[in-house]
């Protein structure tokens, strides 16, 4: 979304009216139970807006994510998984990735207060061993100070240093280790490896499969996000860059999801 497309003092009331209309159209019984969201487009947003550094767009994007949690908390959506950093992102030049690490550390300092107030339990998943120690420490501290799980708590999971293929590889390895540790003979391993066993060893095994995946920035691909869990998900590819993502964009994605005819491969 360009500067010209942002709501102004004249158009903002129209957007609010449109949002209320979209909300009225939503059927709570047809909303997704688990949303995966790919926060894409920070660098392109910075270039499009003529920002001096990527740090400005990174900070705008993380603030927008915190705002997004407030939008989601207004609706009966129990679970959100947000992909903030892929394993491939780690190969970016230091001048691009290090300011992003700093921005994530800042966000984790704010998140517990935000998630606790909104009723979310905060979790983190991914190959954390690939990340800087201070970022991992900030993420773990935030998760530890999050509200404990309960029967009525919602959950927001931050995926960072995450890759869907690696998650499946790790799940298979853990399953094989478990089988061998339980005395299964090596020659019988293959017959004990099944979908249920792999699913039980994913990073968040108690997490329901994703119902809706939202990706910003106009890219129409998963790029490895929740490959196992999104097998039957619906997808919403939104043209705007993540820092410019609006509540109306979110509500449109929910409206389209609610109108879909999900057949789960049948």
């Amino acid at each position: 979304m360009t500067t010209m497309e942002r709501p102004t003092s004249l158009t903002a009331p129209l957007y609010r009216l449109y949002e209320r209309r979209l909300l009225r159209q939503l059927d709570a019984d047809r909303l997704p139970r688990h949303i995966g969201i790919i926060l894409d487009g920070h660098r392109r947003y910075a270039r499009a807006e003529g920002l001096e550094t990527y740090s400005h767009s990174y900070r705008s994007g993380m603030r927008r994510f915190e705002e997004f949690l407030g939008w989601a908390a207004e609706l009966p959506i129990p679970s959100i998984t947000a992909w903030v950093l892929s394993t491939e992102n780690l190969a970016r030049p230091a001048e691009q990735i290090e300011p992003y690490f700093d921005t994530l550390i800042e966000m984790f300092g704010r998140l517990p207060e935000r998630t606790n107030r909104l009723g979310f339990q905060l979790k983190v998943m991914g190959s954390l061993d690939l990340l800087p120690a201070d970022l991992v420490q900030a993420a773990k501290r935030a998760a530890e100070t999050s509200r404990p799980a309960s029967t009525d708590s919602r959950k927001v999971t931050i995926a960072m240093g995450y890759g869907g293929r690696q998650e499946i590889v790790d799940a298979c390895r853990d399953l094989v280790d478990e089988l061998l540790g339980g005395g299964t003979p090596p020659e019988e391993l293959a017959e004990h490896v099944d979908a249920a066993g792999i699913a039980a060893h994913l990073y968040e095994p108690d997490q329901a499969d994703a119902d809706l995946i939202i990706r910003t920035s106009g890219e129409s691909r998963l790029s490895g996000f929740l490959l196992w869990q999104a097998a039957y998900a619906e997808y919403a590819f939104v043209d705007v860059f993540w820092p410019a993502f609006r509540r109306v964009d979110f509500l449109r994605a929910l409206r389209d999801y609610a109108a879909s005819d999900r057949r789960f491969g049948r």
Side-chain angles (χ1 to χ4, degrees):
M1 182 173 62
T2 67
T3 304
M4 292 295 292
E5 293 171 310
R6 290 201 195 97
T8 65
S9 58
L10 294 176
T11 61
L14 296 177
Y15 273 98
R16 287 194 291 271
L17 286 172
Y18 185 36
E19 288 173 358
R20 287 198 287 270
R21 178 183 173 189
L22 288 170
L23 277 170
R24 289 195 299 269
Q25 292 175 346
L26 292 178
D27 181 351
D29 293 332
R30 294 184 61 83
L31 290 176
R33 306 291 293 169
H34 178 195
I35 294 176
I37 186 157
I38 304 173
L39 285 59
D40 193 24
H42 289 90
R43 294 180 301 166
R44 279 169 288 169
Y45 175 82
R47 292 192 292 268
E49 295 294 312
L51 301 179
E52 293 182 1
T53 68
Y54 290 139
S55 295
H56 292 86
S57 60
Y58 294 154
R59 288 193 173 92
S60 295
M62 294 309 101
R63 288 292 190 181
R64 183 53 48 96
F65 174 63
E66 295 168 51
E67 189 177 4
F68 167 79
L69 292 179
W71 304 338
E74 297 172 354
L75 298 163
I77 299 172
S79 188
I80 294 167
T81 299
W83 198 13
V84 302
L85 181 67
S86 71
T87 50
E88 289 77 14
N89 293 156
L90 301 177
R92 290 176 177 171
E95 63 269 19
Q96 294 183 15
I97 196 65
E98 289 179 0
Y100 190 50
F101 291 152
D102 293 339
T103 303
L104 290 175
I105 291 171
E106 292 172 6
M107 181 188 70
F108 280 118
R110 300 188 301 265
L111 266 187
E113 187 278 331
R114 179 71 168 162
T115 55
N116 287 343
R117 180 159 48 84
L118 294 173
F120 286 103
Q121 181 195 20
L122 177 62
K123 305 199 77 174
V124 180
M125 73 175 189
S127 300
L128 302 186
D129 57 305
L130 301 178
L131 304 177
D134 53 350
L135 173 56
V136 174
Q137 183 180 17
K140 289 184 175 179
R141 186 186 307 115
E144 289 167 0
T145 54
S146 167
R147 60 180 288 150
S150 63
T151 55
D152 62 344
S153 66
R154 305 178 183 204
K155 180 165 68 173
V156 56
T157 304
I158 306 297
M160 63 178 191
Y162 173 84
R165 288 180 174 178
Q166 189 60 49
E167 180 179 20
I168 295 171
V169 169
D170 289 345
C172 292
R173 287 174 174 168
D174 289 348
L175 175 57
V176 169
D177 287 345
E178 180 184 84
L179 292 170
L180 289 173
T184 301
E187 63 274 13
E188 297 179 11
L189 282 177
E191 58 191 84
H192 290 277
V193 175
D194 56 19
I198 294 172
H201 289 82
L202 296 173
Y203 294 153
E204 290 293 325
D206 297 330
Q207 180 78 282
D209 283 351
D211 296 309
L212 172 64
I213 303 292
I214 301 173
R215 180 173 186 156
T216 57
S217 84
E219 302 291 351
S220 301
R221 59 179 182 270
L222 282 181
S223 299
F225 184 50
L226 299 181
L227 292 179
W228 183 279
Q229 301 90 330
Y232 297 108
E234 302 294 319
Y235 301 97
F237 298 113
V238 184
D239 287 338
V240 299
F241 302 129
W242 174 254
F245 188 72
R246 302 163 300 176
R247 185 170 179 244
V248 70
D249 299 314
F250 179 48
L251 294 175
R252 283 170 175 162
L254 295 179
R255 176 198 60 191
D256 294 345
Y257 171 85
S260 64
D261 179 18
R262 303 187 71 202
R263 296 187 294 275
F264 299 93
R266 294 190 291 271

